[in-house]
Amino acid sequence: MKNTPVRVLGIETSCDETGIAVYDSDNGLLGHHLYSQAAVHAEYGGVVPELASRDHIRKTLPLIHQVLSDCGIQGSDIDGVAYTAGPGLLGALMVGAAIGQSLAFGWQIPAIGVHHMEGHLLAPMLEDNPPVFPFVALLVSGGHTQLVEVTAIGEYELLGESLDDAAGEAFDKAAKMLDLPYPGGPQIARLATQGDPQRFRFPRPMTDRPGLDFSFSGLKTFTLNTVDKHTPADSPLPDEQTMADIACAFEEAVVDTLVIKCRRALQQTDMKRLIIAGGVSANLRLREQLETALAKIDAQVFYARNEFCTDNGAMIAYTGCQRLLAGQRDPLNIRVKARWPLHELPPLTSAAEVG
Ligand code: KG4
Ligand code: ZN
């Protein structure tokens, strides 16, 4: 077994995307590929776990072959395997873990199970001007909304989180109310560009009291009531302009709430750097509003390119590489976790080696 893995195969299968990548600690990202199951789940209006697992079984190995061949390398050129071990859908996670562990066993190299949210959190590190530690991270995905104080890889302190729906989940539910397909975030964002921001004002939940927790369920009810109120008796939905106005007001309310809490978190921790990660960090309005708000307090916002905001294999390959470099490995067990608090992760013992 090699001691210093440098070229890591990353496998992401926690939800409805099969993401594969190869990250090299000396040369960066060598290649990556994503297959989205969105079309498989579209008719159900959300992810169907059993269909997700079956599709990962079909797609993971062919995608690994494709990425290796795109990179011009073979299995024997890989030094370590990283797979998402949680949090996520158990069956879907099992597929990536079983394939990852089997490949590592066959190739006689180490394997490591990666925390999906740590992957998101570190995705901005794949960009040209990565943030330096310490910083505050806003994790906003379909399943999580968290503010985390990050001192180093593996050193995470939770500052606040959603008490109910995650921000992405709120986008998805609002989209459903407007009969827009899943995933709803990008759909709402697109429709919102046609909306009149003056027409409706939606609440900014929990911003009028101190603290860094979030709650989006009241905003969801407010959105539903607004949709109902403006739906004519002879139609299933409001008229097109009203739909766009609602999308706009909803997006503004979520973004404004996130911006207020991020600014508060930076002030509370006395930090000048914020990273945003997870699917909702692809939202253009969120990025713009944060840039404007943070410039006023002399702080900076960092995020990954769009394709690395949502689920992808590159963030798993990168994160696994850092942990493997620090000497961490997982035993030859297929252990996955549907729930897995970020703070349970061990710190990197030999952080000096991290490239
Ligand atoms: O990180 P991600 O790909 O998967 C999870 O780990 O959950 O996040 C998916 C979430 C979905 O809820 C989706 O609607 C949301 O991210 N999302 C967006 C945008 N792109 C994706 N939300 C708002 N604006 C976007 N542009
Ligand atoms: Zn994710």
Side-chain angles (χ1 to χ4, degrees):
M1 189 187 288
K2 296 173 192 174
N3 285 325
T4 313
V6 289
R7 201 172 272 177
V8 176
L9 172 69
I11 305 173
E12 155 63 35
T13 64
S14 68
C15 190
D16 60 342
E17 254 125 17
T18 316
I20 304 296
V22 177
Y23 182 84
D24 181 305
S25 51
D26 290 334
N27 302 303
L29 192 63
L30 299 188
H32 64 99
H33 205 84
L34 186 85
Y35 164 76
S36 169
Q37 303 178 350
V40 174
H41 305 287
E43 63 177 293
Y44 305 97
V47 179
V48 183
E50 180 60 24
L51 294 183
S53 313
R54 291 183 197 191
D55 218 32
H56 286 306
I57 291 174
R58 276 191 289 270
K59 294 295 183 325
T60 306
L61 275 174
L63 268 190
I64 291 174
H65 279 298
Q66 186 180 335
V67 170
L68 292 183
S69 125
D70 289 353
C71 298
I73 59 173
Q74 300 178 338
S76 53
D77 299 316
I78 296 290
D79 303 304
V81 179
Y83 55 87
T84 306
L89 303 171
L90 271 185
L93 290 166
M94 293 269 289
V95 177
I99 292 176
Q101 284 280 5
S102 306
L103 288 175
F105 180 71
W107 291 335
Q108 298 197 351
I109 54 175
I112 186 146
V114 169
H115 191 295
H116 180 79
M117 296 314 294
E118 180 174 58
H120 275 305
L121 195 155
L122 297 177
M125 297 296 184
L126 291 160
E127 301 306 327
D128 283 343
N129 290 308
V132 289
F133 297 103
F135 50 73
V136 170
L138 172 73
L139 304 179
V140 267
S141 69
H144 293 78
T145 300
Q146 297 183 321
L147 273 164
V148 185
E149 185 174 343
V150 181
T151 327
I153 294 181
E155 292 175 37
Y156 308 125
E157 190 179 325
L158 186 65
L159 300 170
E161 65 183 333
S162 178
L163 306 176
D164 39 59
D165 292 355
E169 192 180 356
F171 267 100
D172 295 336
K173 287 179 177 169
K176 220 169 180 176
M177 294 171 202
L178 297 173
D179 202 29
L180 299 170
Y182 177 88
Q187 304 281 341
I188 292 269
R190 205 166 304 132
L191 188 59
T193 59
Q194 314 296 317
D196 170 7
Q198 308 300 329
R199 174 133 176 235
F200 300 111
R201 185 174 166 87
F202 285 19
R204 274 66 171 150
M206 295 181 71
T207 52
D208 56 353
R209 65 189 95 158
L212 295 170
D213 286 334
F214 304 88
S215 165
F216 291 109
S217 73
L219 180 58
K220 186 179 64 187
T221 310
F222 194 93
T223 308
L224 185 61
N225 290 341
T226 310
V227 173
D228 285 349
K229 194 169 150 203
H230 291 85
T231 302
D234 58 348
S235 161
L237 287 168
D239 63 78
E240 255 175 58
Q241 187 57 50
T242 302
M243 299 243 292
D245 296 342
I246 291 174
C248 184
F250 172 84
E251 187 187 47
E252 280 240 329
V254 176
V255 166
D256 222 25
T257 305
L258 294 174
V259 171
I260 290 168
K261 297 284 163 118
C262 285
R263 207 173 40 207
R264 204 178 275 176
L266 287 171
Q267 282 162 341
Q268 186 176 310
T269 54
D270 208 14
M271 295 225 191
K272 291 291 179 197
R273 284 179 297 273
L274 173 81
I275 69 116
I276 55 172
V280 183
S281 68
N283 186 278
L284 267 186
R285 191 182 297 240
L286 175 64
R287 293 174 174 190
E288 284 166 10
Q289 306 271 47
L290 273 174
E291 257 149 32
T292 312
L294 296 203
K296 289 184 193 150
I297 55 167
D298 204 20
Q300 235 186 320
V301 58
F302 297 83
Y303 41 80
R305 72 195 86 160
N306 271 2
E307 59 184 332
F308 295 161
C309 288
T310 43
D311 291 350
N312 65 87
M315 66 186 195
I316 303 303
Y318 175 83
T319 305
C321 183
Q322 306 315 311
R323 290 197 170 273
L324 286 166
L325 276 174
Q328 297 178 6
R329 277 123 183 69
D330 268 342
L332 189 62
N333 288 340
I334 296 169
R335 274 193 312 196
V336 294
K337 297 181 192 182
R339 292 182 186 281
W340 187 3
L342 200 56
H343 65 79
E344 284 182 6
L345 284 171
L348 284 193
T349 40
S350 51
E353 277 184 66
V354 175

